[in-house]
Amino acid sequence: MNNEEKSIDISSRKVVAMRDVQDAVAAGATRLLIAENCVVTPSARDFLQQNNIALVTGGNENGAAAKPSAPSATSIASGSSSPIRAAANPRLFSTPEAEAIKKEICAVGRKLWMRQFVDGNGGNISYRIGPNEILCTPTLVSKFDLKPEDICLVDLEGNQIAGTKPRTSELLLHLEIYKAVPQAKSCVHCHPPHATAYAITGKVPPNLVIPEFEVFVGKVAISPYKTPGTAEFAQTVIPFVKDHNTVLLANHGIICWGDTVTHAEWYAEVLETYCWTLMLASQLGVPISRISDQQGEDLLAIKKKMGLPDIRFDTSRMKECQLADLEMPNSIALTPTPCDGDTGKSADANAVTNADLDSLVRSVTDAVMEAIGVK
Ligand SMILES: [Zn+2]
């Protein structure tokens, strides 16, 4: 740190957003020169305040009258999609509750590593400790080696408020969930091998096979692939997270949310074990027997009592589930399909699963008939 003043001129910009101010701060700015009628987004303004960076309006570069520009109605981005939030409270970083959560995050990180759900510095964990305050894991630290002092505090826009290590680059994914789902208190993202195997094939595991999975996870969604760490990637989960506490991220891994850090990690365990079990069973050469629809209803009733989300609670949206199955008949996932360009094993796979194919064809036919009937 030094006390030298450095002005950076961004007065050619009509809108100053988070990226602009982060770049300027990274370049060592202590003052930003902006145009008189420039719009500054709320998150950019908060960031500047937190970093004690002055905003200087045009023509005043020497800063004799330099003053932080007042947050007038015209200078706050009216078109910004993010609501204006109170600035994050850095004191939430060291409360007794925060210290306990940091320990829980480290314990869960160790579980993820011990169970081989994360590799290298992969995976990340977060907890919403205040309305605009999130505790999260840092980037480039193995989840086995995490210590409470490594944990970061960020706001809902991803700005780091406290902590000595930089926050995980995949935090944006967690933040989209916190913004979309008020009851989400914690998110766990990891790459468990068997669940990720589903994610790289675009398949979701079938339902009504194991009761614990029905209750704790249920219908799993799969979000489309985008480059990790980008805002585009983070937004891929938005359509799913209200109805699903567990989402497969195509060609990547999984994300789970829960009411505690420990519970969010449980859902990752339940999904991974379920996917693994299905894969083992699919090698036995006989069809998997299913729980009946009525027994499934009983499990859903238990789930509802527990306050866990499930798209099947909303009967008007059941059609969505059926149509999703229709679009993706392989979601039954009892039949291995060959990878692109590798047809060497397809004959084998067919031999093993003819009975499954029969029932698959029957269920798809039923769904098609139903869809036609609806029209
Ligand atoms: Zn990842």
Side-chain angles (χ1 to χ4, degrees):
M1 293 288 167
N2 64 51
N3 294 325
E4 270 178 38
E5 296 237 315
K6 181 174 177 184
S7 294
I8 288 188
D9 184 348
I10 52 170
S11 58
S12 60
R13 295 194 175 275
K14 290 197 170 83
V15 176
V16 171
M18 193 60 175
R19 170 68 66 85
D20 304 314
V21 296
Q22 282 176 327
D23 288 349
V25 170
T30 58
R31 291 184 302 181
L32 286 187
L33 185 66
I34 60 168
E36 195 81 52
N37 56 354
C38 168
V39 169
V40 182
T41 65
S43 55
R45 187 173 293 284
D46 288 348
F47 183 79
L48 291 171
Q49 277 172 0
Q50 284 148 15
N51 287 279
N52 284 326
I53 309 296
L55 279 178
V56 184
T57 50
N60 206 6
E61 192 175 2
N62 289 334
K67 58 184 192 315
S69 76
S72 65
T74 53
S75 65
I76 289 179
S78 54
S80 168
S81 59
S82 51
I84 298 171
R85 298 185 182 91
N89 179 1
R91 279 176 298 187
L92 292 188
F93 187 56
S94 43
T95 60
E97 184 196 3
E99 296 307 327
I101 298 290
K102 288 176 194 174
K103 284 183 189 154
E104 188 180 1
I105 289 175
C106 293
V108 160
R110 200 166 266 242
K111 275 193 199 175
L112 292 176
W113 191 92
M114 297 293 282
R115 293 192 59 127
Q116 303 184 4
F117 288 10
V118 289
D119 36 273
N121 64 305
N124 29 76
I125 306 161
S126 67
Y127 181 82
R128 178 178 3 211
I129 195 159
N132 190 20
E133 294 85 5
I134 313 288
L135 290 167
C136 73
T137 48
T139 188
L140 294 175
V141 175
S142 162
K143 299 305 153 291
F144 183 85
D145 297 325
L146 266 184
K147 296 182 206 62
E149 56 267 32
D150 295 332
I151 305 301
C152 315
L153 184 73
V154 297
D155 69 15
L156 270 177
E157 297 307 315
N159 307 308
Q160 187 151 350
I161 309 301
T164 54
K165 293 200 159 97
R167 53 102 166 147
T168 167
S169 61
E170 287 191 308
L171 179 78
L172 301 181
L173 177 67
H174 303 224
L175 298 181
E176 291 300 339
I177 294 176
Y178 293 129
K179 289 176 196 170
V181 189
Q183 68 268 41
K185 289 281 277 177
S186 175
C187 294
V188 169
H189 162 61
C190 54
H191 313 143
H194 300 88
T196 304
Y198 275 84
I200 66 172
T201 61
K203 291 179 175 187
V204 294
N207 285 98
L208 298 178
V209 179
I210 290 179
E212 189 176 58
F213 179 77
E214 293 302 306
V215 171
F216 289 108
V217 176
K219 282 250 169 213
V220 179
I222 181 160
S223 64
Y225 178 81
K226 297 285 176 191
T227 304
T230 62
E232 218 185 353
F233 164 63
Q235 289 162 4
T236 58
V237 297
I238 296 174
F240 309 110
V241 288
K242 280 197 175 86
D243 298 309
H244 305 266
N245 60 8
T246 304
V247 178
L248 294 172
L249 309 168
N251 295 85
H252 185 160
I254 69 169
I255 180 111
C256 309
W257 64 260
D259 58 346
T260 68
V261 184
T262 296
H263 289 170
E265 197 269 345
W266 282 2
Y267 307 145
E269 290 187 14
V270 171
L271 173 63
E272 168 63 5
T273 300
Y274 187 67
C275 291
W276 191 359
T277 306
L278 285 170
M279 286 184 186
L280 292 174
S282 70
Q283 294 166 16
L284 297 179
V286 289
I288 290 170
S289 57
R290 312 286 281 267
I291 295 167
S292 73
D293 286 349
Q294 180 51 53
Q295 289 165 327
E297 294 289 329
D298 296 343
L299 296 172
L300 265 185
I302 295 170
K303 183 171 196 175
K304 199 165 199 172
K305 260 192 204 159
M306 292 173 71
L308 295 168
D310 198 301
I311 194 168
R312 294 169 294 182
F313 293 147
D314 184 349
T315 49
S316 66
R317 302 186 61 195
M318 275 310 290
K319 198 64 69 187
E320 249 174 71
C321 295
Q322 286 161 351
L323 287 175
D325 285 347
L326 189 61
E327 281 164 15
M328 214 168 19
N330 282 336
S331 64
I332 299 296
L334 302 178
T335 314
T337 46
C339 295
D340 284 349
D342 173 14
T343 52
K345 291 183 176 171
S346 58
D348 240 17
N350 286 340
V352 168
T353 57
N354 274 345
D356 298 330
L357 281 176
D358 276 348
S359 81
L360 181 61
V361 167
R362 215 171 21 247
S363 67
V364 170
T365 308
D366 289 345
V368 169
M369 296 303 282
E370 191 176 345
I372 292 169
V374 169
K375 284 185 183 172

